[in-house]
Amino acid sequence: MSGHPDVSARAPWASGLTVVALAAAGLAITNPAPADFQAFAAERLVDEISEELCGDGGLPVLMRMAVTNCQELVRAQRAALGTVVADHTRRSNFGVLSVYTSEIGGQSLLRWRVPRFRSTVIAVAGQFVLVRAASDRLQSEP
């Protein structure tokens, strides 16, 4: 026996490390960018906002009487609302995945407080996963 290390003893460990490194590199390459999140926000998060705002208890009674087509109105503003959501979002980039935390609303409008909407989205492998979406629905009707 010579003083050379046994190559077959290192192979399982080295090949496992190679697989992990390749998987991490693949995830890093496919980690969605902020522009991708804006497109996602325009689609999915606007639907969540529409349900919260236009559902029972979302708008005060007087506003519901004035805005009879709330969901259509929100959906017609999909691109603009996607931009607003993206502007109020913080991205935490971990290389292989990103976590997007959004918070919008809370302003007062005609003595009614717009519900504050919060969401957490994980972006990984070219996909977005909505982890949490919630509204505080704080309001005071005139």
Side-chain angles (χ1 to χ4, degrees):
M1 268 238 237
S2 65
H4 297 288
D6 186 6
V7 175
S8 63
R10 284 188 311 188
W13 180 80
S15 63
L17 184 60
T18 302
V19 168
V20 169
L22 288 173
L27 288 174
I29 290 169
T30 60
N31 187 358
D36 300 323
F37 175 78
Q38 185 171 338
F40 169 79
E43 291 300 317
R44 176 64 196 262
L45 295 181
V46 167
D47 289 342
E48 295 290 331
I49 292 168
S50 177
E51 288 178 21
E52 288 288 325
L53 190 61
C54 301
D56 291 337
L59 289 175
V61 174
L62 292 176
M63 289 182 100
R64 273 186 287 198
M65 290 177 8
V67 180
T68 58
N69 58 348
C70 179
Q71 289 186 339
E72 293 168 20
L73 183 64
V74 171
R75 287 188 180 119
Q77 300 302 314
R78 188 175 298 274
L81 289 171
T83 300
V84 169
V85 171
D87 289 345
H88 291 87
T89 297
R90 186 183 82 242
R91 178 186 189 209
S92 299
N93 186 358
F94 299 103
V96 296
L97 64 90
S98 294
V99 177
Y100 290 87
T101 307
S102 305
E103 184 174 322
I104 62 171
Q107 302 87 353
S108 292
L109 178 66
L110 302 175
R111 294 181 31 199
W112 171 69
R113 184 175 168 139
V114 176
R116 186 174 310 276
F117 178 80
R118 296 176 183 91
S119 68
T120 303
V121 175
I122 294 177
V124 63
Q127 302 294 314
F128 292 95
V129 179
L130 180 61
V131 177
R132 181 181 69 90
S135 170
D136 61 7
R137 288 196 186 217
L138 292 175
Q139 64 184 39
S140 57
E141 297 189 26

